[in-house]
Amino acid sequence: MTKEQLVKEAIAARQKTFSPYSNFGVGAALLMKDGTVIHGANIENASFGLSNCAERSALFSAYSQGYHKEDIVAMAITGDTENPISPCGACRQVMNELLPKQTPIYLSNLNGLIKETVIKELLPYSFDEIEHNEE
Ligand code: THU
C-alpha cells in the first residue's frame, strides 16, 4: 500500500469522527503487517478533557484487537488543515510507546499534502517506556 493510499484510509477514518464540540474531525489509519488497516477518529465528550484523539483511537483499537508494536507498518493522520496535521503532545507520547521507532508516519491534510516523519522527530528526548517485569 502506498502512502497516498494510507492517507486515503485516514480520510475515510475521519468520517467516523464524533466531534460536536470542536467540529474538527481527525482521522488516523494504521497499516498492519497482515494487510489489515485500522481506523481511528477523534471521539469527543461534553466533559472536554475526556476526548480522545484519532491517533490514540487507532493505536488503542489495534492493541485492543490483539496487535502489538511489531505488527505495525505505517501510520497516516489527517485533518482539515492548511499544512499537514501535527499530532498533539499527548498523542506523541503514546505513539512513542506503541509504534516501532522507525515506523513511517504520514502527516497529511485533505488536499493531498503529505509530510513523512518518524516518532523521534516528533518527540525528541522522550521519556521512554519503563522496564516491565514479566508476570
Ligand atoms: N485532535 C486529534 O484527534 N488529533 C490531533 O492530532 C489534533 C487534535 C482532536 C482533539 C479534538 O477532538 C479536536 O481534534 C480539536 O482539538
Side-chain angles (χ1 to χ4, degrees):
M1 175 173 283
T2 64
K3 58 183 167 186
E4 287 80 10
Q5 285 170 322
L6 194 59
V7 165
K8 280 202 178 115
E9 292 285 347
I11 291 171
R14 183 175 168 273
Q15 299 299 319
K16 296 176 245 191
T17 183
F18 176 73
S19 47
Y21 304 105
S22 72
N23 285 312
F24 184 74
V26 182
L30 288 168
L31 175 63
M32 314 307 288
K33 277 190 185 150
D34 67 5
T36 302
V37 175
I38 294 172
H39 287 179
N42 56 326
I43 309 295
E44 298 185 344
N45 192 274
S47 178
F48 299 159
L50 300 182
S51 301
N52 206 58
C53 293
E55 296 89 328
R56 281 176 287 149
S57 293
L59 282 164
F60 294 163
S61 175
Y63 276 69
S64 298
Q65 291 173 51
Y67 290 106
H68 295 289
K69 182 182 276 199
E70 57 273 13
D71 302 314
I72 302 172
V73 176
M75 182 173 197
I77 309 162
T78 200
D80 190 6
T81 45
E82 192 180 331
N83 295 307
I85 196 163
S86 185
C88 80
C91 285
R92 291 175 195 219
Q93 181 69 26
V94 170
M95 289 159 71
N96 184 63
E97 185 144 344
L98 301 186
L99 284 178
K101 294 277 174 256
Q102 293 309 319
T103 305
I105 302 167
Y106 307 124
L107 308 179
S108 62
N109 66 8
L110 303 183
N111 303 324
L113 272 183
I114 301 177
K115 177 179 169 53
E116 182 172 344
T117 186
V118 288
I119 191 60
K120 189 114 196 121
E121 200 170 58
L122 291 174
L123 190 69
Y125 195 57
S126 62
F127 177 68
D128 284 315
E129 57 250 60
I130 52 177
E131 294 277 332
H132 295 287
N133 292 321
E134 290 293 322
E135 283 177 29

